[in-house]
Amino acid sequence: GAGVSQTPSNKVTEKGKYVELRCDPISGHTALYWYRQSLGQGPEFLIYFQGTGAADDSGLPNDRFFAVRPEGSVSTLKIQRTERGDSAVYLCASSLWGPTGRYQDQETQYFGPGTRLLVL
Amino acid sequence: AQSVTQLGSHVSVSEGALVLLRCNYSSSVPPYLFWYVQYPNQGLQLLLKYTSAATLVKGINGFEAEFKKSETSFHLTKPSAHMSDAAEYFCAVSGLYGNKLVFGAGTILRVKS
């Protein structure tokens, strides 16, 4: 079956510009997560959606970062006034959450290939 | 708060040798623990997970990990390394109710022929 997809795979922008990164989760997955992976580091949590609402946005670094998931499926991560320090790979993951009858599967997050953002 | 420490940013083994990648965690709640593998220019792939069932967890590609609460460890092992195992490995912890994963810094595994 189809996995998590992210577009674009690569994005080059100039400092100060606005960018949008898109994530298509696995069909039926109610939970969606965004992480950021800087060079040489492990992924860092940004935000988590349960359905349409952001259940935890404690990882967003500042108010230039915003994410939406209006219909509970596709999500968009939006970065305003980009800075060179925003350059990283942005990863999206999705998981089942809720009464599925398979409790032990609820915690597995399936990751997309990422969007590599370069801010010049 | 939760955290993960992976000892050794780079590990090199010979083909056929034992692979041991170390992970220690800190968690204020019973943890769920994970190992993910990342091949160059690819996303993270789940190798195995511990969710409070059996302490010895078997994963894909011959990997396994043992949860040791007394040592707060979740080391990843494979009896015999293969060239295709060369990748970066991440240990991660999440709380009882899932949501965010906290990752270690990763260990790059090199397999020598």
Side-chain angles (χ1 to χ4, degrees), chain B residues 38-85:
Chain B
Q38 188 175 38
Y39 297 100
N41 300 315
Q42 295 187 28
L44 294 162
Q45 180 182 2
L46 181 70
L47 274 178
L48 49 81
K49 62 181 180 180
Y50 166 76
T51 56
S52 75
T55 56
L56 181 62
V57 181
K58 293 186 184 298
I60 62 172
N61 301 337
F63 285 93
E64 63 181 37
E66 185 172 9
F67 172 69
K68 292 186 176 180
K69 184 178 179 180
S70 61
E71 299 178 7
T72 61
S73 69
F74 190 59
H75 302 330
L76 181 70
T77 60
K78 181 174 181 177
S80 176
H82 192 272
M83 296 298 289
S84 61
D85 295 327

Side-chain angles (χ1 to χ4, degrees), chain A residues 6-25:
Chain A
Q6 293 184 247
T7 55
S9 54
N10 292 279
K11 176 70 176 179
V12 181
T13 191
E14 294 179 343
K15 180 176 178 293
K17 299 290 187 181
Y18 167 83
V19 297
E20 290 189 350
L21 311 179
R22 176 187 168 107
C23 172
D24 278 273

Side-chain angles (χ1 to χ4, degrees), chain A residues 11-112:
Chain A
K11 176 70 176 179
V12 181
T13 191
E14 294 179 343
K15 180 176 178 293
K17 299 290 187 181
Y18 167 83
V19 297
E20 290 189 350
L21 311 179
R22 176 187 168 107
C23 172
D24 278 273
I26 293 172
S27 178
H29 278 193
T30 55
L32 185 146
Y33 310 79
W34 284 100
Y35 294 84
R36 179 169 70 175
Q37 186 175 18
S38 299
L39 194 61
Q41 298 181 23
E44 294 179 301
F45 170 79
L46 295 176
I47 186 170
Y48 153 58
F49 287 89
Q50 183 60 265
T52 60
D56 182 354
D57 64 356
S58 61
L60 294 178
N62 52 59
D63 61 6
R64 295 187 298 105
F65 289 75
F66 189 71
V68 295
R69 194 185 186 201
E71 298 179 355
S73 179
V74 171
S75 175
T76 304
L77 179 66
K78 308 180 180 191
I79 310 174
Q80 299 177 323
R81 305 183 304 281
T82 52
E83 299 177 356
R84 292 192 180 87
D86 298 335
S87 297
V89 176
Y90 289 81
L91 298 169
C92 177
S94 71
S95 72
L96 282 169
W97 184 254
T100 65
R102 296 184 66 192
Y103 177 75
Q104 289 184 333
D105 283 344
Q106 286 184 348
E107 313 306 328
T108 300
Q109 294 181 27
Y110 297 90
F111 284 80

